[in-house]
Amino acid sequence: MNDLVRALRQNRLGVAGLLLVATIFLVALSAPLIAPGDPFRMDWTPFLPPGSDHLLGTDNIGRDVYALMVHGTKVSLLFAFGAAGVSLLMGMLLGGIAGYYGGLIDDLISRLSDAFLIIPRLFLIIVIVALFGSQLWMVVLVIGVTLWPANARIMRAQVMSLRERGFVQAARVAGGSDAAIIFGQITPNSLGPVLANSVLQMAYAVLTEASLAFLGLGDPNVPSWGQILYSGQNYLSSAPWLMIFPGLALAVLLLSLHLVGTALVESLNPKLRPVRRVPLSARAGAAPRMEV
């Protein structure tokens, strides 16, 4: 894990993405301070353009877009970390069990993951949300459950490559239980690739939430960037700020998560790491230059 952090720090794009994510996280934490009050207040004139009174303008029913944007940051981050967390836990658990035991258990879990991969993910999420409701926790759980097969496959491959290593054999000889070996010995050494994939899944979770809200399937009781896009889709020519500002916010968050996830993937794969070119004069054993 220390090598992973060190390699990530050497990736400038990854550091830039991490700084952007940290900035968005700070905005979410300080939302009650920088945008106090109820973001759903409808006390203003509809379709006011961005200005000094309303930094990002107002929407079609008189709500302040700036307040909606700031408070919607919390929802986007909740989906990113919540859905990816559910996927990470399910993938580690099921993938670890499948890779360690193999045989019939591996076949059953592999066929279950295949079933999730066969069904179009967004279609499955829309059907479940339409049937069971669009409450925030329900949508987070549904998105996380549909993402676990990728993490499970990565975890399974990692466990299968480590289960016969010397330190695992030593833990078996010492009398360690299967659970202790899987989660105490193998999992810490398999966590890197799964974490890298989970960061990339955060971007998908944010985009999926925005898509559901844009289709009118989001939770109406919480502000989100997708809801602002949904309310502004019919007013693109008369109130373009309703589409521009949440669209830019989504693009920045998705880009930052993609940069961090890609940097983690590159740090785990030596073939993808940027090659540091050493000057010829600095190489060991380089012949001295001859002067004429």
Side-chain angles (χ1 to χ4, degrees):
M1 188 61 67
N2 292 333
D3 295 337
L4 183 65
V5 175
R6 190 180 304 110
L8 178 61
R9 290 174 58 185
Q10 295 175 355
N11 190 306
R12 295 181 180 179
L13 291 178
V15 172
L18 196 59
L19 290 176
L20 284 174
V21 173
T23 302
I24 296 172
F25 192 76
L26 288 176
V27 171
L29 288 179
S30 58
L33 299 177
I34 61 179
D38 184 8
F40 288 112
R41 287 175 55 194
M42 295 179 287
D43 299 342
W44 318 107
T45 304
F47 298 124
L48 287 177
S52 57
D53 293 333
H54 300 280
L55 188 61
L56 302 181
T58 60
D59 66 359
N60 58 316
I61 55 177
R63 297 177 298 184
D64 186 75
V65 176
Y66 170 76
L68 291 172
M69 288 282 298
V70 171
H71 288 272
T73 305
K74 297 186 292 185
V75 176
S76 295
L77 291 179
L78 175 62
F79 271 90
F81 287 94
V86 172
S87 171
L88 178 65
L89 292 177
M90 291 187 64
M92 287 176 56
L93 178 63
L94 296 176
I97 292 174
Y100 185 79
Y101 289 105
L104 179 61
I105 296 177
D106 183 18
D107 290 338
L108 290 175
I109 295 177
S110 297
R111 298 296 79 75
L112 180 62
S113 67
D114 290 341
F116 273 88
L117 292 173
I118 289 172
I119 304 175
R121 189 175 295 156
L122 183 59
F123 174 76
L124 178 62
I125 294 172
I126 291 175
V127 170
I128 295 176
V129 170
L131 290 176
F132 298 101
S134 58
Q135 291 84 2
L136 185 64
W137 63 269
M138 173 66 72
V139 181
V140 171
L141 184 62
V142 168
I143 295 176
V145 168
T146 59
L147 291 175
W148 72 268
N151 281 336
R153 291 193 169 197
I154 296 173
M155 186 67 184
R156 172 181 175 272
Q158 291 291 110
V159 172
M160 291 180 69
S161 66
L162 293 175
R163 65 185 180 185
E164 301 300 332
R165 294 286 182 88
F167 67 93
V168 177
Q169 298 291 345
R172 290 197 187 101
V173 173
S177 63
D178 290 344
I181 294 174
I182 294 173
F183 300 108
Q185 301 293 329
I186 298 179
T187 298
N189 293 282
S190 310
L191 200 55
V194 186
L195 280 177
N197 186 68
S198 296
V199 174
L200 295 175
Q201 287 182 339
M202 289 182 183
Y204 179 83
V206 172
L207 188 60
T208 302
E209 184 276 329
S211 302
L212 292 174
F214 183 75
L215 294 173
L217 296 174
D219 191 342
N221 299 314
V222 294
S224 71
W225 297 342
Q227 279 188 1
I228 304 174
L229 291 170
Y230 174 70
S231 65
Q233 60 181 322
N234 295 324
Y235 310 102
L236 181 58
S237 59
S238 59
W241 58 87
L242 294 178
M243 304 292 287
I244 293 174
F245 294 126
L248 287 176
L250 279 170
V252 170
L253 180 55
L254 294 176
L255 176 63
S256 60
L257 291 173
H258 179 75
L259 289 176
V260 175
T262 303
L264 288 173
V265 172
E266 289 179 355
S267 65
L268 292 168
N269 190 344
K271 296 181 180 179
L272 298 178
R273 294 178 187 174
V275 179
R276 298 182 60 185
R277 298 185 180 276
V278 181
L280 183 61
S281 59
R283 296 178 185 175
R289 297 180 60 184
M290 297 181 62
E291 296 182 0
V292 180

